[in-house]
Amino acid sequence: VFHLFLHTRKKMRLLLFLIIYQCAINSVKTRSASNPNVILLMADDLGIGDLGCYGNRTLRTPNIDRLAEEGVTLTQHIAASPLCTPSRAAFLTGRYPIRSGMAAFSRVGVFLFSASSGGLPSEEITFSKLLKQRGYATALIGKWHLGMNCESSNDFCHHPLSHGFDYFYGLTVTNFRDCKPGQGSVFFKGAQNSLVIAVQITGITLFSLAVVQYIGLLKVPFQALGYCLLITAVSLAVLVFFFYHFRHLNCILMRDHQIIQQPLSYENLTRRLTKEAVQFIGRNTDAPFLLVLSYLHVHTALYTSKNFRGKSKHGLYGDAVEEMDWSVGKVLDVLEKYNLSDKTLVYFTSDQGAHVEEISSSGEVHGGYNGIYKGGKSMNWEGGIRVPGLLRWPGVIQAGANIDEPTSNMDIFPTIAKLAKAQLPSDRIIDGHDLMPLLQGKVTRSKHEFLFHYCNAYLNAVRWHEGNSK
């Protein structure tokens, strides 16, 4: 080509130059399309009706709305569960949470303690594991909520670093009311009824034994009564000690395997998470990276920085949403700063719908808005599982498009695995489907004919999208 370039006339030289230039551009596009950076932004308990791009006209979310303007809006994007732990397990693995054992038979379907022995099984393959094998730098910043240890306090078998992440900064459990002074106690509220009943039964039993002993119907050793009273007193003391010291025991902030703040402080917490995310991107401008920025907003207890407090039209909840939008803007800004926007797929969603019943200790509504949809968090009505789904990748996927086809947060797993040219596991069922054909307009129908909706381990409903139906 260069030989021809040197020995042809001016017009031919220009034509050859244009051909060479176009080949170079196509080569760059091919490389960026096959190994893009991936940023996954996940809110906590955010309602689909809380964002401007989904119809909200009172909360200001210009940066999240920008993702919709410059990318694709999924209008039937469904979380695999209406609860944090199973939903996030499905998101990371592309599989229904019941397949990985992340589904409870009891009433509590999430992990409540850092010291819990359960978690996402080591045998599960996450998208972070696959992308790490493909040479990606991987980081999780924010909420994990999928376990930490197995047999000991430092084996870290369920920790993010054991599931394919190179770097972790955040909470291994979740954001509790108990972690913020003055916001009440989730545990005490939940245990109150059971505790009262247990105390009543114990008291009646001891009183009855004393009466029977007094009237001579039954001889009960006073030593036995003393032991019963002692056991009851010790049990109550342990419970009181736990609730009093909960913040120190369970509310921790970690960097990798190290606890760096105990108890957790909410002061400028979103700013700290955002700073960590921006710095991670800055450290990996020359190599592909995967960043999962998992916000604590807008799970209760609600918090926000001073710059956002009292600025929205919807109290502390609205302030928290608008601070999260600010954080999304900072992430988009740093992509532009390093000329990475065209090389990066950005995804924004929520792990489930808004927790509509949430009321603060002072009576303020701390729940979000699920638009026209019934129900909310912990329910399989549409308000509990229909979540925002926004994807942006300039020059590769459609801009300003709305896709009204059933999609799932499980679809992210096969989508980014294929983009990274990672081999999908063949020894297990993957329930998600590659989204790229839909996002690029190559197909018009979702591959999901059925979507199954579980409450804990129990099937509640099935969504049927008939293949040949309009």
Side-chain angles (χ1 to χ4, degrees), residues 42-49 51 54 73-82 87 347-354 370 373 381-390 407-410 463:
M42 178 169 278
D44 195 353
D45 296 359
L46 180 74
I48 193 170
L51 303 176
Y54 283 96
T73 301
L74 303 175
T75 60
Q76 289 195 52
H77 197 48
I78 310 298
S81 172
S87 175
Y347 168 70
F348 180 90
T349 191
S350 177
D351 56 357
Q352 64 260 329
N370 293 315
Y373 304 113
W381 295 112
E382 204 76 2
I385 54 177
R386 191 178 288 220
V387 293
L390 305 170
T407 56
S408 169
N409 62 351
M410 297 183 292
R463 182 183 307 261

Side-chain angles (χ1 to χ4, degrees), residues 202-415:
T202 303
I204 292 170
T205 303
L206 291 174
F207 179 77
S208 301
L209 288 172
V211 170
V212 168
Q213 168 78 11
Y214 179 76
I215 62 178
L217 290 177
L218 185 67
K219 290 292 183 182
V220 181
F222 281 102
Q223 191 176 12
L225 287 173
Y227 282 134
C228 288
L229 283 170
L230 180 62
I231 291 170
T232 303
V234 169
S235 299
L236 288 172
V238 168
L239 282 172
V240 170
F241 178 86
F242 169 77
F243 288 124
Y244 186 77
H245 290 280
F246 179 88
R247 291 186 62 236
H248 294 272
L249 294 171
N250 212 36
C251 306
I252 59 177
L253 182 68
M254 298 186 76
R255 177 178 278 113
D256 293 335
H257 291 141
Q258 183 181 2
I259 295 175
I260 60 174
Q261 193 173 53
Q262 187 177 15
L264 169 71
S265 169
Y266 288 95
E267 186 69 27
N268 294 323
L269 182 54
T270 300
R271 290 180 175 273
R272 282 181 273 155
L273 297 177
T274 306
K275 181 180 178 182
E276 290 285 337
V278 167
Q279 289 178 341
F280 174 78
I281 295 170
R283 292 196 299 268
N284 294 281
T285 56
D286 298 325
F289 64 81
L290 163 70
L291 168 63
V292 180
L293 179 51
S294 180
Y295 291 104
L296 275 64
H297 287 322
V298 280
H299 194 292
T300 50
L302 294 177
Y303 71 95
T304 191
S305 304
K306 288 181 180 179
N307 290 348
F308 294 91
R309 203 167 299 150
K311 298 296 177 65
S312 78
K313 295 182 179 180
H314 290 288
L316 189 54
Y317 184 91
D319 299 343
V321 172
E322 293 186 0
E323 182 177 29
M324 179 171 59
D325 180 79
W326 164 86
S327 175
V328 172
K330 288 297 180 184
V331 172
L332 298 181
D333 289 345
V334 78
L335 291 178
E336 289 188 357
K337 175 183 176 181
Y338 293 115
N339 296 317
L340 295 175
S341 295
D342 294 347
K343 304 173 186 175
T344 306
L345 173 65
V346 179
Y347 168 70
F348 180 90
T349 191
S350 177
D351 56 357
Q352 64 260 329
H355 201 174
V356 291
E357 306 96 338
E358 282 290 274
I359 305 293
S360 75
S361 55
S362 62
E364 183 183 6
V365 175
H366 278 184
Y369 178 54
N370 293 315
I372 64 172
Y373 304 113
K374 179 178 179 177
K377 178 181 178 179
S378 80
M379 304 179 222
N380 268 323
W381 295 112
E382 204 76 2
I385 54 177
R386 191 178 288 220
V387 293
L390 305 170
L391 296 104
R392 187 196 79 163
W393 188 0
V396 179
I397 65 175
Q398 303 174 83
N402 288 291
I403 295 178
D404 192 34
E405 287 287 304
T407 56
S408 169
N409 62 351
M410 297 183 292
D411 295 336
I412 297 303
F413 179 95
T415 301

